[in-house]
Amino acid sequence: MKKISFLLLPLLVAWACRPAAAPIDKQQENDTLAAAALYDNKPIPSAGIEIPRNLQGNEGKILYRVGYTTSYNARNKIPNWVAWHLTASHADGLNKRSNEVFHEDNEVSNPRAYDSDYRSSGYDRGHMCPSGDNKWDKTAQEQSFLFTNICPQRHNLNAGAWNDVELQCRAWAKRYGDLYIVCGPVLYNQQHKTIGRNRVVVPEAFFKVVLRQENRSQGRKYYKAIGFLYENRGASRDMSRYVRCVDEIEELTGLDFFSALSDNIEDKIEKSADLRDWYPLREIK
């Protein structure tokens, strides 16, 4: 993939996430979209909506876990993507991360990431599927600490804006019931920094896309989608600065998200993103 400067992202957003012309009656337009585009009476499988398609033909090794699915890149020693279904009942639980330790994944061959690769590297062991989304099950919590679910992240990002969006997703799951989430690294340079003896690749940025599904009257389902893009460094805690439409994240990653949805729904929910459609927003402390 060609190198993409973060300085160009506002231009990409303006093109890929361009808004429609302002209607005379905004409420009427919203009602029309909800009826014509965001509802679908076709049965959609409850599992698998979150799994993306790789349009570049390099899927990696797919690993199925209790709480998530990951596509592992053996060359980079990090995941290509991690996807999971977050429900209201999975947004909390009794299994605490204090009981777990990061550990290598025996399902992938050496060379692979070890804890020693991260030690004194200047980078955190950054969860893709967060520990906090796996407290509902002991095995799920343990598997979230596998290095096939981890990427090198700057501490100010991992403990700051990235943690904020993880907490926000759990709040949304409790409110809306069903979220389908995919996140992972963005590698836009030709050459990448690595850490440790096993040369674990350090991503230049990270993406996260979120699909919300609400069950409405008469068995209808309502969908909204939003994307986020974070440079791998400390930055503002203002979540609105990282909002991107899903179409743009697809352009950056070569992945096709939420393709299990019908085309008319997918096309409309992926071309724009507005944080104002995603309440409640947590207060950042």
Side-chain angles (χ1 to χ4, degrees):
M1 185 171 292
K2 295 180 180 179
K3 179 177 180 179
I4 299 175
S5 170
F6 271 80
L7 296 176
L8 298 179
L9 287 177
L11 297 177
L12 287 172
V13 174
W15 182 86
C17 305
R18 56 195 184 282
I24 297 175
D25 185 343
K26 186 66 176 177
Q27 185 60 49
Q28 183 180 10
E29 183 198 50
N30 289 340
D31 292 342
T32 300
L33 284 174
L38 300 180
Y39 287 101
D40 187 9
N41 293 321
K42 296 179 181 179
I44 295 174
S46 60
I49 298 176
E50 71 277 15
I51 306 300
R53 292 192 303 139
N54 192 318
L55 301 179
Q56 298 176 338
N58 180 24
E59 189 58 73
K61 182 179 178 65
I62 303 299
L63 302 168
Y64 299 97
R65 307 304 186 198
V66 172
Y68 62 90
T69 302
T70 180
S71 167
Y72 172 69
N73 190 306
R75 181 177 62 181
N76 297 334
K77 288 83 174 182
I78 57 175
N80 295 310
W81 52 260
V82 181
W84 65 103
H85 177 197
L86 181 62
T87 65
S89 62
H90 287 184
D92 208 345
L94 300 176
N95 296 281
K96 306 300 183 182
R97 67 174 291 160
S98 58
N99 298 325
E100 304 297 340
V101 295
F102 293 94
H103 50 290
E104 64 272 15
D105 191 332
N106 292 323
E107 288 193 39
V108 300
S109 59
N110 281 312
R112 62 192 182 208
Y114 283 80
D115 193 64
S116 57
D117 292 310
Y118 284 81
R119 200 173 300 136
S120 302
S121 68
Y123 289 88
D124 283 5
R125 302 156 182 83
H127 281 81
M128 294 297 97
C129 181
S131 165
D133 288 11
N134 289 278
K135 292 189 295 184
W136 55 277
D137 182 88
K138 185 179 185 301
T139 301
Q141 179 64 258
E142 179 183 353
Q143 291 177 342
S144 76
F145 284 82
L146 289 166
F147 278 114
T148 45
N149 181 46
I150 304 298
C151 289
Q153 274 188 336
R154 286 293 187 187
H155 177 73
N156 287 343
L157 174 64
N158 186 34
W162 190 253
N163 183 61
D164 292 341
V165 76
E166 291 175 342
L167 292 168
Q168 183 63 74
C169 284
R170 288 194 284 279
W172 286 334
K174 291 176 181 178
R175 160 116 184 177
Y176 298 116
D178 286 283
L179 298 184
Y180 298 90
I181 305 172
V182 192
C183 74
V186 177
L187 304 172
Y188 57 83
N189 288 340
Q190 295 298 321
Q191 294 183 332
H192 314 288
K193 181 177 180 178
T194 63
I195 60 171
R197 183 179 65 180
N198 292 300
R199 302 183 63 81
V200 180
V201 164
V202 178
E204 288 81 50
F206 296 93
F207 75 88
K208 179 167 284 191
V209 293
V210 183
L211 173 71
R212 149 179 141 215
Q213 174 184 284
E214 296 178 65
N215 296 319
R216 297 291 179 90
S217 61
Q218 299 179 348
R220 291 178 173 178
K221 298 182 186 298
Y222 175 84
Y223 296 94
K224 274 286 186 182
I226 193 168
F228 300 92
L229 185 65
Y230 296 85
E231 197 170 357
N232 195 4
R233 59 181 175 84
S236 168
R237 303 287 289 273
D238 180 1
M239 191 176 296
S240 65
R241 296 174 63 116
Y242 308 105
V243 172
R244 304 287 186 269
C245 63
V246 174
D247 279 345
E248 184 190 347
I249 304 298
E250 290 182 331
E251 287 288 330
L252 288 172
T253 62
L255 298 172
D256 180 14
F257 302 108
F258 313 130
S259 59
L261 298 175
S262 61
D263 289 342
N264 68 314
I265 293 179
E266 186 183 2
D267 290 345
K268 286 183 169 60
I269 65 174
E270 292 186 356
K271 72 178 182 180
S272 63
D274 191 338
L275 197 57
R276 292 173 296 181
D277 295 330
W278 291 76
Y279 283 99
L281 294 178
R282 295 178 60 259
E283 180 180 354
I284 304 301
K285 298 180 180 179

